[in-house]
Structure formats: C-alpha cells, structure tokens
C-alpha cells in the first residue's frame, strides 16, 4: 500500500512492558491520535509483550479506557474498533527462550514477510540491557529485511559508569543510528519552538549572547509529592530525575549555536557542544552554586528511608565556557511539592546602559524579559517598558504575549509522545538524545551527585510543601542581586 504524504511508513511497533501505565496512558493514546490523523500507515501493527496473561481482546479492552480518558482525543467506538484490530498481544518474558520464540512466531504471523520494526522499551530500567541483549542475540536487530529501531525510555543510567555500560550493551546489538533515547520534554511543542523562536526570527539571534543577556532561568516545578514512586525516587533524587535529562536538554536548546541544517546529527552536534562547555561544579563552585532541600514529611512517605538524605528540590548556577555565553549565569531549579506546576525558560536581558528618562527616587527600571512557557499555559511572553498614559515620563512594564490556546485552540498541542513516536517511525532523531550527549550530561552531573552523597557541599535543608522551596534557594539568587521569576504558573 502506498504511503500518504505526512504518513509514517508501515511498521510493526513492539512494546515491551506493554501492560504498564506508560503504555496505557501515553503510548497507545498517542498512536490512536496518529491513526485518527491518518499519520499511521494502514498496515501498521502494534504488538505488546509483558508477563501478564491477556488474550488479544482482553488486552485491547484494557487499553481502551486510557484513550477514552484523554481530554483532547475524540473517541468513538467505530474508530477505536478499527484501530484495535491492529493490536496484538504476546504474553511472556523475553528473557525466557520459549517466550522469545513465541514472540518471533507472532511477528512472523502478523508481518507475513519483510517488514520495518520499532521496538519500545517501556519496561523497568533494569530490564533495558537484558532486553537489548536478547534482541541482539536472536538476530532481531539486523536490518536485512527492513529497518530496525529501538526507543529507550529514561533513565539512561544512574551515573556516568552505568550510562557507559548501557551504551556499550545497546551498541553491541544496535548501531547508534537505530537508537532513539526519549526525553518527552523535547517532544513538547513549546520546547521545540525554542529553536524556531531563535533561528526563524531575525530579531532575537543578534541579542542572544553575553553582550545583551544578563542571565537565564530554567524552572521545572511540580506540585505532586513522590507518591507511588517513593521507592524509586529515594534511590534517585531530583538531580537524576530531572536535572541530568530534562533541564540540561532545555539548557542545550537555549544555548546551542545555529546548526548548518535541520539534520538530526547537525542539531545534536551543537547541543553536545553546549554540554561539553559546562564549567564543572567542583570546589568553591559546589558550595556557592548549588543548593539542595527536601520537603517536610518526605521521610514519612511509604518506601522512603527514615533518615533519607535524598533531595526533592535543587537549584544550580551554571556557566557555559564558550564565546557566546562566557560570564552569563544559567540558574536551574526543580522540585516536588511546590506551589505551582510550571516548566519555563526566562531570558532576562541587561538594562539599558544609560536611561534618558527621570525616575522617582529609589526606583529602578525593570529589564526586558522573554519567557517561554513550556507547560502549562503554553506560550511566549515578552515584557518591555512603556510610558503610562497621561504622565510626563512614568513607565510601566507591559507584556506582549503569544498563547497557544488562544491562537490555535485548546487541543492544538499534541502530547509529546505523539510527536516523538511519529519521528521515530519517520527516522528523524532530532528530538532524541545521542549517546555522547547522555554521557556528557552524566560527566557534568556525577561530581555533584558524588559530593552530595559524601556529605560535601551545602547542607540538605527543608521546605514546606506548597511553597516555592527553601529560603536558601532565594539566597542563592540574592547573592547575585537577582530573584526567581514566575511567568507560567497554573491558573
């Protein structure tokens, strides 16, 4: 069957860990949305594998509520029934010879000959490497009868050593060009728009540097506590959970140089250069440029050690040692149980070198700020000074705003997994992390993690749930004569 414009090629999507929450809440709804938009080839097959026992129909029935619960998906039974015929289920454990043979038999049955194949690791992280090993040993990664690709969920390792070991085992079975390491933050429409804002508009790039930018703030705030993830989180903490991946990826998008093309490797080359240029947080920088905290009551969460030193909040001040950004601080913060859910990037520009207008005694001027709201209230805000009406020279800060919902409609922004799954099927790796970027991020973060775990650096402090974090985070900014900014809060 011919491929329609904008449609992915025909392929078999094999999901390992197919009975889990990720598959039901994110992957299948994303694939259903692509099906409705006619971006999935009609011959696409979805094959789930996990140890739970389901028939094909029982598995389809289990998945249907996850699609029905999506606010912006138009669900009707006839469309779901047509989509569900493409879903098959294979109960079993890939690490057992007889179960792997059963998977191969089912693949041979549904494909009926040469076919493309996309594997998705939606399993627990400790199963990534064994699954990859088994696929390689069984010859299921060879591309002589169609392409073979694999999507690997985060976390990709828990430190540099484990990331390198996992990369080694992945590369023993797959070429790097076949590997798609997913970070759903990079699939968010507003994160993608950072590059378009910079490189498709001539007014921003000339001032996107140390000559005009005072500092940059990147915030990923969550209102939720650790909840059911407490056991995992207590072994991870906020640096592994959020900084090593989401925040450093956003930083690289903000700070990268223009690539010579939109080719995936050209874009990822520039992002890796940013990570390689990060100034290490060691010695005095560790004490002056980092802080960590834990929300009150965290140690009473089920699964958390009663004497846990795991931070649920952190703030870092980073510097990028290259020509464009030398001397410009980047402030990163993230935490759980905070006052609002918010993911945003704020670029604060320098104040004018000379002000022509009289100001009241003791009053300064608010600098220009560009805020990129990734979630919620997705959009872009530019603040600037304007003269207040009916005054001689009284100034006010006003906001020029672009809002996705008002411009394109409430359901205009697809879920990040929808874009990333489509890109993987199309073979576009631009929004996926490459092995060198993963290792560079860990190489930067490891010394901080190791120092904190040895009790070095600033002491672990406490903060009250429902606030914006500890006073020490405000002190980190105040020492530099700055404050944290909020543009994209809920409500």
């Amino acid at each position: 069957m011919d491929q329609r414009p904008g449609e992915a090629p025909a392929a078999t999507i094999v999901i390992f860990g197919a009975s889990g929450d990720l598959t039901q809440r994110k992957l299948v709804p994303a694939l259903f949305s692509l099906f409705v938009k006619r971006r999935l080839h009609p011959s696409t097959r979805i094959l789930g594998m996990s140890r739970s026992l389901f028939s094909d129909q029982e598995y389809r029935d289990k998945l249907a509520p996850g699609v029905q619960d999506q606010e912006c998906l138009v669900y009707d039974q006839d469309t779901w029934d047509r989509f569900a015929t493409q879903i098959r289920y294979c109960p079993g454990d890939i690490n057992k010879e007889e179960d792997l043979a059963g998977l191969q038999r089912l693949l041979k049955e549904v494909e009926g000959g040469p076919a493309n194949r996309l594997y998705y690791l939606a399993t627990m992280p400790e199963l990534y490497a064994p699954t990859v090993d088994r696929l390689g040993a069984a010859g299921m990664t060879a591309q002589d009868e169609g392409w073979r690709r694999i999507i690997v969920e985060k976390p990709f390792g828990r430190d540099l050593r484990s990331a390198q070991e996992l990369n080694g085992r992945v590369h023993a079975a797959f070429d790097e060009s076949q590997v798609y390491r997913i970070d759903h933050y990079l699939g968010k429409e507003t994160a993608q728009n950072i590059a378009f804002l910079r490189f498709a508009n001539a007014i921003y790039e000339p001032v996107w540097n140390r000559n005009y930018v005072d500092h940059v703030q990147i915030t990923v705030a969550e209102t939720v506590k650790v909840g059911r993830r407490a056991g995992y989180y207590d072994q991870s903490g906020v640096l592994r959970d959020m900084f090593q991946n989401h925040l450093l990826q956003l930083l690289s998008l903000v700070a990268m140089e223009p690539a010579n093309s939109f080719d995936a490797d050209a874009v990822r080359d520039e992002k890796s250069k940013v990570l390689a240029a990060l100034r290490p947080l060691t010695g005095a920088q560790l004490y002056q440029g980092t802080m960590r905290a834990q929300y009150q009551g965290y140690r009473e969460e089920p699964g958390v050690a009663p004497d846990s030193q795991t931070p649920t909040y952190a703030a870092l001040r980073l510097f990028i040692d290259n020509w464009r950004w030398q001397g410009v601080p980047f402030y990163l913060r993230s935490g759980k149980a905070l006052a609002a859910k918010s993911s945003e990037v704020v670029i604060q520009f320098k104040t004018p070198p000379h002000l022509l207008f009289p100001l009241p005694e003791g009053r300064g001027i608010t600098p220009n700020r560009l805020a990129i709201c990734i979630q919620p209230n997705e959009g872009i805000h530019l603040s600037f000074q304007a003269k207040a009406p009916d005054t001689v020279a009284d100034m006010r800060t006003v906001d020029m705003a672009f809002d996705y919902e008002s411009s394109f409609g409430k359901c205009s922004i697809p879920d990040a997994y929808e874009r990333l799954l489509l890109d993987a099927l199309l073979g576009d790796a631009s929004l996926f992390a490459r092995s060198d970027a993963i290792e560079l991020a860990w190489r930067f973060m490891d010394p901080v993690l190791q120092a904190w775990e040895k009790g070095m650096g600033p002491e672990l402090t406490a903060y009250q749930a429902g606030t914006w974090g500890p006073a020490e985070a405000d002190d980190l900014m105040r020492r530099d004569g700055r404050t944290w900014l909020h543009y994209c809060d809920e409500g």
Side-chain angles (χ1 to χ4, degrees), residues 77-117:
Q77 194 62 46
D78 179 63
T79 306
W80 168 256
D81 289 342
R82 287 187 289 111
F83 172 74
T85 61
Q86 302 175 211
I87 300 174
R88 300 289 300 274
Y89 185 74
C90 179
D93 181 346
I94 193 174
N95 291 304
K96 294 181 179 179
E97 288 286 347
E98 61 273 22
D99 292 349
L100 179 60
L103 173 63
Q104 290 174 303
R105 286 193 298 271
L106 184 54
L107 283 167
K108 185 175 182 180
E109 174 191 330
V110 300
E111 291 175 342
N116 301 316
R117 202 177 292 163

Side-chain angles (χ1 to χ4, degrees), residues 220-239:
V220 176
E222 300 179 281
T223 55
V224 296
K225 298 182 179 181
V226 291
R228 293 181 299 173
R229 298 178 68 229
Y232 158 78
Y233 194 90
D234 202 43
Q235 302 300 313
S236 174
V238 68
L239 287 188

Side-chain angles (χ1 to χ4, degrees), residues 90-410:
C90 179
D93 181 346
I94 193 174
N95 291 304
K96 294 181 179 179
E97 288 286 347
E98 61 273 22
D99 292 349
L100 179 60
L103 173 63
Q104 290 174 303
R105 286 193 298 271
L106 184 54
L107 283 167
K108 185 175 182 180
E109 174 191 330
V110 300
E111 291 175 342
N116 301 316
R117 202 177 292 163
L118 175 66
Y119 302 113
Y120 199 115
L121 298 186
T123 66
M124 295 182 292
E126 55 266 31
L127 298 179
Y128 293 170
T131 303
V132 167
D133 292 343
R134 298 292 289 165
L135 291 172
M140 298 173 69
T141 66
Q143 302 194 87
D144 48 353
E145 293 190 340
W147 52 253
R148 300 289 183 267
R149 297 171 189 150
I150 186 166
I151 296 179
V152 185
E153 272 282 342
K154 80 173 190 76
F156 202 86
R158 57 174 283 107
D159 53 25
L160 177 60
R161 182 197 58 77
S162 60
Q164 290 173 327
E165 179 184 344
L166 183 53
N167 272 334
R169 292 174 72 171
V170 169
H171 288 156
F174 293 89
D175 183 79
E176 176 64 25
S177 63
Q178 297 173 266
V179 183
Y180 292 71
R181 297 170 189 81
I182 197 167
D183 183 340
H184 71 274
Y185 262 70
L186 296 186
K188 293 182 181 295
E189 197 73 33
T190 32
Q192 298 168 42
N193 217 9
I194 294 173
F196 283 84
L197 179 73
R198 291 185 57 191
F199 305 131
N201 297 288
I203 63 173
Y204 291 116
E205 190 57 24
V207 297
W208 208 270
N209 55 57
R210 60 186 169 83
N211 296 320
Y212 296 96
V213 175
D214 177 78
H215 73 278
V216 177
Q217 298 184 23
I218 303 177
T219 297
V220 176
E222 300 179 281
T223 55
V224 296
K225 298 182 179 181
V226 291
R228 293 181 299 173
R229 298 178 68 229
Y232 158 78
Y233 194 90
D234 202 43
Q235 302 300 313
S236 174
V238 68
L239 287 188
R240 289 187 176 95
D241 193 47
M242 299 299 291
F243 279 77
Q244 182 274 335
N245 39 72
H246 300 330
L247 274 84
L248 288 187
Q249 288 292 334
L250 290 175
L251 179 144
S252 65
L253 277 173
V254 172
M256 64 182 278
E257 295 296 321
N260 59 12
S261 72
F262 206 51
D263 172 75
D265 276 332
V267 172
R268 297 192 295 180
D269 284 346
E270 298 305 330
K271 291 168 64 179
S272 291
K273 289 176 185 177
V274 172
L275 298 175
L278 287 171
R279 186 183 302 171
L281 285 169
T282 55
Q285 290 286 339
L286 178 68
Y287 286 86
Q288 297 168 8
T290 75
M291 66 78 47
R292 52 184 169 153
Q294 190 182 86
Y295 66 78
Q296 294 171 355
Y298 171 75
R299 293 173 184 174
E300 283 74 57
E301 300 277 11
V304 173
D307 58 349
S308 173
Q309 296 295 301
T310 300
T312 62
Y313 178 101
L316 307 180
R317 181 185 61 197
L318 310 184
F319 291 93
I320 301 170
D321 288 331
N322 63 15
W323 188 271
R324 181 185 290 263
W325 296 113
Q326 191 65 38
V328 176
F330 285 71
Y331 298 95
L332 278 58
R333 63 172 171 166
S334 182
K336 290 193 172 294
L338 297 179
K341 180 180 180 180
S342 176
S343 297
E344 61 187 286
V345 177
V346 181
I347 295 93
Q348 178 160 308
F349 295 92
K350 295 182 177 180
T351 54
H354 174 66
L355 193 62
L356 307 179
F357 314 106
L359 288 176
E361 186 72 27
R363 179 177 165 188
I365 186 172
T366 302
N368 300 131
R369 292 167 181 156
L370 180 68
I372 303 167
C373 300
I374 296 168
Q375 68 172 15
N377 305 321
E378 293 88 348
I380 299 171
H381 302 259
L382 177 64
S383 67
F384 56 94
Q385 299 301 308
K387 176 183 170 294
D390 200 24
T391 67
V392 175
D394 193 7
M395 284 183 289
R396 295 286 187 274
T397 300
V398 295
D399 187 39
M400 183 182 294
F402 156 63
D403 177 75
Y404 272 88
E405 183 174 328
S406 61
S407 296
F408 298 110
K410 182 176 181 180

